[in-house]
Structures are given as C-alpha cells and as structure tokens.
Amino acid sequence: MSNVIEAVKVNRSFVNGKETSHVLKDIDLTVREGEFISIMGPSGSGKSTLLYLLGGLDMPSEGTVSINGTDLRTLKDKQLCAMRNEEVGFVFQFYNLVPNLSVEDNIALPLMIAGKKRSEYKDRLDECLRIIGMENKRKLTPRELSGGQQQRVAIARALVFDPKIIFLDEPIGNLDTKTGTSLMELFKEINQKYNKTIVQVTHSEEAALYGTKLVKLVDGEITSIDDIISGQIVKTAVVSEHVAS
C-alpha cells in the first residue's frame, strides 16, 4: 500500500492579541492507501485542527502536509480548491445541506461548483444514491428527512467525484446510538468494499473501533498509534512522553 497522506513535523499556532496558542506540536503521521484512521482525544486536544490540516482546509504554521505526494503548500488557491472539491471528500457533524434543494441536487452540488455537466455524472449520482440506500428519496428535501438520512446525503455528496480519501469530523455526533451504528457500518463498507481511505475524528471509542488504526491526541501531540483488527486494539506504539509518564 502506498502513502496517500503524510504529515511531517506539523505545528499549528494561533495568535490572539499578545498570546500564542500552540494547538498542534511536531505531528508526524502517515496514512496508507485503504486505511481507516480514527483520531481520538479530549476536547481541545487539536483533533479537528489536525483533520483540517490533513484535508487542506487549513495550512500548518510549520511542517508539511502532502496528499498523494503533493505538498499542499505548493498548490495555488485555485488548485487547492479543486483538490478539496474533487480529490477528497468531507463529512461533518452538521450535514450542511441546502434546505431548498432535493436530495439528488444536494449530492450534485460539488459538480455544479466545479462547472461539470450533471448529465455526464448521471450514473455516478445513481451509484451514490444506491450506496446510501436512498434511491427512492432522491426528490425529497432535507426537511423531509431524518438526521440519519440527511447525513447519508452528506456522505453521498462527499462520494460524488469518487475521491480516494474521505475525511469525517464527528460524523455521528448529532445522532442517536442506533442511527450512529448504522452509519459507522456504512463507513466501514465504503472503506472496505469501495477501497476508500478514511480519516475520522471522533469522541466515541465505539466509532473509533470501526477503523484499522487509532491515533490518540493529547495537548496537541500524538501520544500513541494503535492497530485495530476486528474491532480490537492489538498493538500500541507509544510516541510521546504523555503516555510514558
């Protein structure tokens, strides 16, 4: 398997007046093709910040983030926008659907943003609706859907360009346990059946164990990286003094 994401000595700081907040500190992380990485840590540990850096939504203060061998800092704004729209997919805790658009129009939104002809992607739209199990709801609007169904639409929207990498930011954070479990099963299927590399941030250990690797983050540092097999942690690599102490 090849490396699809590489973060090397990544730091992220934010300046507020005279104070500087060091959110991420010397992050080294490699994501290989086909992996399902779960990032966990307490609130304020920098999980979402790390996800945004890995997905090109933000840039590090120091260090490099590369996707498929391309250092994101070398991309111009237009190239970076195209990469985020077409080469990777994002699913957030809040579904971010357009209320007055139908299910299929919400899924096709990235195509419209990229100026693509929707007619050329008809088969892909149908495939995305099939993946999320909502072929018979394509004409409904978000207000006619449950929260779980709305998140499924957001998932299909992330898949419409058939990206190799999907980023998830607390994707089941607003959902009940049963609905959340069904969505995690869907993400597992997307990872295994469709060979998508997935990186998720989650507070839920149950959700994290659907992945193949668990990355723990404390105070902006990676403290351990655990391999997961069949929902069980099988190996722990300590990478920070947070754990050793």
Side-chain angles (χ1 to χ4, degrees), residues 129-178:
L129 283 162
R130 190 194 63 75
I131 290 171
I132 64 171
M134 291 181 61
E135 301 100 312
N136 63 338
K137 298 185 185 296
R138 63 195 308 150
K139 298 300 183 182
L140 299 183
T141 60
R143 64 177 60 90
E144 298 174 277
L145 305 175
S146 68
Q149 289 170 333
Q150 290 186 59
Q151 190 63 298
R152 285 175 179 268
V153 176
I155 293 166
R157 181 181 58 197
L159 291 171
V160 72
F161 268 117
D162 200 18
K164 296 295 185 183
I165 307 169
I166 307 293
F167 294 97
L168 314 175
D169 190 6
E170 297 285 0
I172 62 171
N174 281 342
L175 303 172
D176 62 81
T177 301
K178 182 179 179 180

Side-chain angles (χ1 to χ4, degrees), residues 35 39-40 48 67 75 89 102 104 117 124 128 134 141 151 179 204 220 226 241:
E35 286 189 316
I39 302 172
M40 288 191 72
S48 291
I67 292 182
L75 299 179
S102 67
E104 63 181 359
K117 291 183 178 180
R124 182 60 189 164
C128 289
M134 291 181 61
T141 60
Q151 190 63 298
T179 303
S204 166
D226 307 335
E241 293 182 358

Side-chain angles (χ1 to χ4, degrees), residues 5 24 31 35 45 50 64 75 82 94-95 110 112 135 138 144 155 159 170 183 187 194 198 204 208 213-214 222 245:
I5 305 173
L24 294 174
V31 180
E35 286 189 316
S45 60
L50 177 56
T64 61
L75 299 179
F94 301 101
Y95 324 122
M112 292 184 269
E135 301 100 312
R138 63 195 308 150
E144 298 174 277
I155 293 166
L159 291 171
E170 297 285 0
L183 282 178
F187 288 129
Y194 300 98
I198 295 179
S204 166
K213 189 171 288 184
L214 175 61
I222 293 176
S245 59

